[in-house]
């Protein structure tokens, strides 16, 4: 599996653990104040990262492009900052709002990089030999 796909799956699993832990925390305490952080940990952290990982696993030529690395590191930095900041903000630490805003914009930038990877040309030299080629 390409390194970037493996990295996305590692990021995904970390956030699945974090997201479920927050869900359990809310269920056990009966306080649902961090629903937003839980939902974003699970959907941006776990589900979206896993989908990125599947994409790169299925497209190894695109995974070798430098932009794929940029996509991973910008996205990882964004969610690693956003989820704890959102969690704290929802618990009343209003000062976290700026961090949530900046990291959200960073996540958006990473998604735009992913769009360039998807719509961009596959590097010729890095193209995988077709399984159907004789
Ligand atoms: C053991 C696992 C989980 C537990 C105990 C759990 C628990 C919860 C709880 C207590 C809420 C708050 C409900 C409310 O106040 O209305 C919630 C909301 C939510 N959860 Fe989970 N959750 C779990 C896993 C997941 C997973 C895996 C995902 C997504 C991949 C997810 C996505 C969401 C979303 C999107 C919301 C917000 C729903 C809304 O506001 O309408 N949860 N969860």
């Amino acid at each position: 599996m390409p390194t970037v796909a493996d990295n996305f799956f590692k990021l995904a699993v970390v956030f699945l653990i974090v997201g479920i832990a927050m869900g359990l925390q809310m269920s056990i305490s009966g306080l649902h104040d961090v629903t937003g952080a839980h939902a974003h940990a699970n959907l941006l952290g776990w589900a979206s990262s896993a989908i990125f990982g599947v994409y790169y696993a299925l497209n190894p030529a695109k995974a070798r492009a430098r932009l794929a690395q940029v996509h991973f590191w910008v996205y990882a930095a964004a969610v690693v900052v956003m989820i704890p900041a959102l969690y704290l903000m929802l618990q009343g630490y209003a000062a976290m709002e700026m961090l949530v805003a900046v990291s959200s914009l960073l996540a958006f930038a990473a998604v735009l990089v992913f769009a360039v990877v998807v719509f961009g040309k596959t590097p010729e030299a890095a193209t995988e030999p077709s399984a159907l080629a004789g």
Side-chain angles (χ1 to χ4, degrees), residues 4-86:
V4 72
D6 193 44
N7 285 343
F8 267 120
F9 271 102
K10 286 173 179 156
L11 185 70
V13 167
V14 168
F15 278 99
L16 178 59
I17 293 168
V18 169
I20 287 183
M22 278 188 228
L24 289 171
Q25 180 211 319
M26 289 192 292
S27 301
I28 293 164
S29 67
L31 297 171
H32 293 186
D33 51 352
V34 294
T35 299
H38 162 76
H40 285 81
N42 278 317
L43 297 173
L44 280 182
W46 156 243
S48 299
S49 298
I51 291 167
F52 295 143
V54 169
Y55 175 82
Y56 287 118
L58 291 174
N59 296 276
K62 296 272 180 123
R64 279 193 293 269
R66 191 158 180 76
L67 264 189
Q69 304 294 327
V70 174
H71 171 211
F72 173 76
W73 288 109
V74 174
Y75 192 81
V79 290
V80 162
V81 172
M82 184 203 293
I83 303 306
L86 185 56

